[in-house]
Structure formats: C-alpha cells, structure tokens
Amino acid sequence: MYGATVDPVEDTQAQDEKLQAFEMRIKQGEKIEPGDWMPDEYRRQLIRMISQHAHSEVVGMLPEGGFITRAPTLRRKLILLAKVQDEAGHGQYLYHAAETLGATREEMLDALLTGKAKYSSIFNYPTLSWADMGAIGWLVDGAAILNQTMLAKCSYGPYARAMLRICAEENFHKRQGQDIVITLATGAPEQKAMMQDSLNRWWWPTLMMFGPPDSDSPNSGVLMRWGIKTKTNDELRQMFINQLVPDLQALGLQIPDPDLHYDETTGNWVIGKINWDEFWQVVKGDGPCNAERLATRRKAHEDGQWVREAAAAYAEKYGV
Ligand code: BYC
C-alpha cells in the first residue's frame, strides 16, 4: 500500500523495521504464516521451490508408474500402486502450499507443461528393470527424506506442515524400496546382477539430486538466512553417502565409484568427482527422458480437460 504521498525515506525505514521483525521471528523459531508480512524475495523463493517440489512429485510418478503392470507379485503390485498414488497426493499438498503464497494452480501447471519450470533431475532417467523400483524407493526416496526432514523444520508454516505428512509416507516408500533391494541382493545370481546394474545406473544421479555443490548454489545463501534450508546441498549429500555406503556394502553390492574411501579423520565416506556437466545438461532439459516425461504430462493434462470442465460446471451449478 504505497501511494504517491508516502515519504520514501520513511517508507524504507518502515520496510527495514518489518524485515528486522520478520528475521527476529525466524530466529526465535516462529513459523511464518500466509497472511504475515514477508519480503518479496522470501515469497518468490518459496513459490519457486515449492512448485518445483510439487512438479517433482507429479513427474516422479512416471518412472515407477510403468512398472505397476509388471510387478512380480500381487503384493508388490499393490504396494507400488499405493506408493505412486501417494506421490500424487504429495503433489496436491505442495501445490496447495504454493497457492497460499499467491501462485495459482494454472500458472504452476503452465510453467511445468511449457518446460519453463524445473523438477527434480532424477526423474529424467529411465527405469529399465524391476530392480529400479528398489533403487528408487531406497536411494531416491531416501535422499528425498533427508532433504524433506530438513524442510519439515523450515520457517514457512504451510510448507513445514506439508513436509511432516509427506515424510511419514516417504518412510514407508523407503522401506518398500529397501525390501526390494535386500530381496534381490540376497537372491539368485541373476537377481543380484540385476540389482547391481540398477545401483550402477542410479547411484550418481541420486547424489546429484541434492543440487549443485555449495560453491555453485546461488539460492542457498538466502534460503539459509531465512530458515527455508537449514542444511546445505553438500551437507545433506554427505549425510546420505555416510548412511548408504555401509548398508549397500553389507549386502555385497559394489558402489560404482573407484575413488570411494573412508576418511578416518572426518568419519566421512569420500566420493570421487560428480559429473556436474551431466547434471546441468539434465536440468536444462536435455537428459535421457526429459522430452518423454513432458510429453506424457502434457497428454495427461489434455486427457484430463473434460474432468476439469465437468468439475467447474458442477461447482457453478451447485455453488460449491
Ligand atoms: N533437479 O541454488 P541451488 C520425491 C536447480 S520428489 C533439478 O542449489 P536450491 C519423489 C535449482 O532449482 C522430491 N534442478 O537451488 C517423488 C536452481 O535453479 P533455479 C524432490 C535442480 O533451490 C516421486 C539451480 O539448480 N525434492 O521425493 O537452493 C517418486 C541452482 O541450485 C536440482 C524437492 O524438490 C535438481 N536435483 O537447492 C519418488 C525438495 N538441484 O530454480 C520420490 C525441494 C538444483 O534457481 N527442493 N536445481 O532456476 C530443494 O530442497 C532445493 O530446491 C534443492 C536445490 C536442494 C533441490
């Protein structure tokens, strides 16, 4: 509400005071809620991150969705079906959280379908075997849980609360992935080979999921300052590596990294070089499945047009 009569010096001072009060609230661990004052950049960053996160959940249904009809048993099929359905629900919670900041569903979907919006790089890799359901569940969901457990403590109330629900379900997803990996890694030689091949393909892309190295992460500074992120990309990546390496090795699986070693001094598993050129290529839209994923989403959106029209007509007729 800044009309022509507002004194610019007084205005800047008022803004500074609001910013100080806002930062104090974050420092004290208070949640920022939709109607509260917030800097434009805080709102912009949250809409960017939450909408990308929502798109990731929705696009993330595709790599596993193709295996629902190819699950090896009825029990596995039911579990995978429930998991993929959960991801759609996660997308819904997150789109709602972004809407509380003023983004509309139409704008967000338009950005996804026109290729303007990002979604997680990991979903641009193909799923080639049943073992990939294990790798996605344990590695990809495991990585997502670490990131989302951090976000469940973030400063924006609706995002933090959405994360609490999502993390509860993601833990089940991780367990189902772990169960598949353990079954295959301790099974027949063919099963073990299938699991090893899957790990070879998913290990590096999963490490890339955490985002670029801290030295090359333009958003981290402001996100950390305002309590949206409380851990950096590299910190979370290292936590993941330290958790996963001993567990995978205990199953007799080989981590596809000749430089991997344990550093006694830091207590960390140290990895070789991540291929960041590959990461940026995928993020910029030129990964193995980017075109296929977007084409599938666009078709689903077009096929769902009649449902949106019917829902809108119903709402208009009955005033709901
Ligand atoms: N993929 O400054 P940086 C799931 C972009 S789904 C693509 O470090 P930031 C699941 C980044 O956006 C869970 N793009 O960014 C679902 C930025 O570009 P813009 C997905 C990436 O935001 C189905 C630029 O690179 N989780 O669990 O500080 C089945 C510079 O990066 C990626 C989330 O979405 C990437 N991996 O940190 C199974 C979590 N990394 O936007 C499982 C929410 C970076 O400036 N998001 N970029 O043009 C986040 O926590 C953060 O956004 C990130 C990146 C850690 C991903």
Side-chain angles (χ1 to χ4, degrees), residues 9 74 78 92-93 108 126 133 161 197 229 236 252 272 317:
V9 177
L74 178 61
L78 288 171
Q92 291 284 7
Y93 305 154
M108 290 187 274
M133 301 307 104
R161 289 189 288 274
D197 168 66
K229 273 184 179 177
L236 284 176
K317 184 165 180 188

Side-chain angles (χ1 to χ4, degrees), residues 48 52 118-119 121 144 147 209 211 217-219 223 229 233:
R48 177 190 70 83
Q52 287 179 7
K118 293 190 171 70
Y119 58 85
S121 49
N147 172 279
M209 257 182 94
S217 165
N219 298 296
L223 294 176
K229 273 184 179 177
N233 299 356

Side-chain angles (χ1 to χ4, degrees), residues 67-273:
F67 269 83
I68 291 170
T69 52
R70 289 183 277 167
T73 65
L74 178 61
R75 182 171 158 269
R76 293 283 189 204
K77 188 196 290 276
L78 288 171
I79 295 171
L80 187 62
L81 192 60
K83 177 187 192 293
V84 172
Q85 192 176 308
D86 283 351
E87 311 296 0
H90 298 174
Q92 291 284 7
Y93 305 154
L94 288 162
Y95 284 125
H96 279 305
E99 280 168 341
T100 65
L101 292 154
T104 69
R105 186 73 65 110
E106 290 72 23
E107 282 163 0
M108 290 187 274
L109 287 180
D110 185 65
L112 172 66
L113 299 175
T114 54
K116 277 186 241 145
K118 293 190 171 70
Y119 58 85
S120 183
S121 49
I122 193 74
F123 302 118
N124 292 306
Y125 289 85
T127 39
L128 305 179
S129 72
W130 174 252
D132 290 357
M133 301 307 104
I136 292 181
W138 194 0
L139 274 66
V140 174
D141 285 85
I145 290 172
L146 277 179
N147 172 279
Q148 292 171 166
T149 305
M150 164 189 83
L151 293 172
K153 298 187 203 107
C154 82
S155 57
Y156 187 56
Y159 196 20
R161 289 189 288 274
M163 283 299 108
L164 284 178
R165 289 183 67 170
I166 291 177
C167 282
E169 292 177 355
E170 295 285 16
N171 272 303
F172 149 75
H173 298 171
K174 180 177 155 188
R175 291 296 294 272
Q176 69 88 37
Q178 219 168 12
D179 191 53
I180 294 173
V181 175
I182 293 170
T183 304
L184 295 177
T186 57
E190 292 83 355
Q191 289 175 304
K192 191 163 183 169
M194 183 165 66
M195 194 61 248
Q196 182 63 54
D197 168 66
S198 177
L199 179 62
N200 294 348
R201 288 180 289 105
W202 289 92
W203 176 251
W204 291 106
T206 305
L207 299 187
M208 294 175 195
M209 257 182 94
F210 291 94
D214 295 350
S215 54
D216 203 12
S217 165
N219 298 296
S220 281
V222 73
L223 294 176
M224 299 281 283
R225 170 177 169 191
W226 286 332
I228 298 172
K229 273 184 179 177
T230 50
K231 288 196 166 42
T232 70
N233 299 356
D234 285 333
E235 282 169 348
L236 284 176
R237 187 170 13 249
Q238 190 62 56
M239 280 170 73
F240 176 81
I241 294 164
N242 289 350
Q243 274 184 11
L244 264 283
V245 168
D247 284 357
L248 294 170
Q249 287 183 339
L251 285 168
L253 293 165
Q254 305 297 317
I255 310 286
D257 178 355
D259 296 323
L260 181 74
H261 63 276
Y262 186 71
D263 182 334
E264 296 280 352
T265 333
T266 60
N268 286 326
W269 283 92
V270 182
I271 57 163
K273 261 177 118 64

